[in-house]
Amino acid sequence: MKNGTSIRALLQIDRLQPKFAAYNGATVQGSVPLADDAILVGELAPGNAVFGLIDAALKASRAEATSQIVEREFGFFILRSPSLAEITAARDAILARLGLSIQDRLKPRIESTQVITSVEPYQAQLLNKWAKGSLVVPGQSLGIVESTPAAYVALAANEAEKSADIDIVEVRAVGRYGRLFFAGAEAAVETAMQASMAAIEATDGRSG
């Protein structure tokens, strides 16, 4: 930690997948990301640090603000641009302001995973009560990934969709734990689960 601020998560997604882009479009506060956009996702402590850092990132690049949230413990943001170079410039501005490197982010950890095959109709309906993305159809399989820091489930969601024909049900990337829910045929869900886990496990950073 430097300047009183620690980076819990900081990640670039170079090519936003269509369904995950659509999910973001339905849930974000600001500039709506499109398929194939690049995005920068971050989680910081203390939460109020997000305001000054996003200001610095936007002034140093042509990225646009998609989300800026201060929740109970952490600050969370998403920036978007059709240009990966602009997202990289935004990331570098944040790191420069803090005097940190990308290696100062926390290394993500998978807390739990589940695959539920042939979801029962009443459970599907309960899931659909709070889902902000695709609805779960009874008989589909459901994949669930839980990670810390929470923001890394955004990477898991994008990689899951990139690897298999699945539907994004819910991406909870804010808070103590991140949770990703996706649905589809059993084989597709199994493939997507492996891809999402591999993406998280391959991300480096400091232990914490």
Side-chain angles (χ1 to χ4, degrees):
M1 180 185 295
K2 294 182 180 180
N3 302 323
T5 301
S6 66
I7 300 175
R8 291 180 50 79
L10 189 64
L11 60 133
Q12 289 179 236
I13 294 176
D14 297 348
R15 186 180 177 193
L16 204 58
Q17 297 300 296
K19 293 176 184 178
F20 189 36
Y23 178 89
N24 277 275
T27 57
V28 300
Q29 307 159 310
S31 181
V32 175
L34 303 177
D36 295 329
D37 274 359
I39 63 171
L40 180 68
V41 183
E43 182 181 306
L44 308 157
N48 280 344
V50 71
F51 301 115
L53 292 175
I54 294 307
D55 181 70
L58 296 178
K59 287 175 178 174
S61 71
R62 298 181 66 183
E64 297 178 353
T66 289
S67 289
Q68 180 177 259
I69 300 169
V70 177
E71 52 88 43
R72 187 173 180 177
E73 295 181 85
F74 310 121
F76 172 84
F77 68 84
I78 303 174
L79 303 181
R80 64 156 292 275
S81 174
S83 167
L84 177 59
E86 296 299 331
I87 289 299
T88 300
R91 181 203 66 187
D92 291 348
I94 288 172
L95 292 172
R97 184 179 175 98
L98 292 174
L100 299 174
S101 76
I102 195 66
Q103 296 300 322
D104 290 307
R105 66 185 176 184
L106 283 176
K107 180 173 178 59
R109 183 173 67 240
I110 297 170
E111 298 292 342
S112 69
T113 63
Q114 296 182 62
V115 173
I116 300 171
T117 59
S118 190
V119 175
E120 192 273 339
Y122 284 104
Q123 185 174 41
Q125 294 296 70
L126 288 173
L127 293 166
N128 291 336
K129 289 287 187 180
W130 46 253
K132 296 183 180 68
S134 295
L135 299 178
V136 180
V137 178
Q140 283 186 314
S141 290
L142 179 71
I144 307 170
V145 179
E146 182 180 76
S147 74
T148 53
Y152 285 107
V153 295
L155 175 63
N158 204 65
E159 291 301 312
E161 183 183 343
K162 190 184 295 183
S163 71
D165 183 16
I166 50 95
D167 294 322
I168 303 294
V169 176
E170 181 83 358
V171 185
R172 299 180 179 178
V174 178
R176 173 61 64 176
Y177 297 100
R179 294 183 177 92
L180 163 65
F181 300 79
F182 54 89
E186 183 176 351
V189 167
E190 291 283 2
T191 298
M193 178 65 73
Q194 294 303 314
S196 64
M197 292 171 61
I200 290 176
E201 290 168 349
T203 302
D204 58 7
R206 61 183 172 86
S207 60

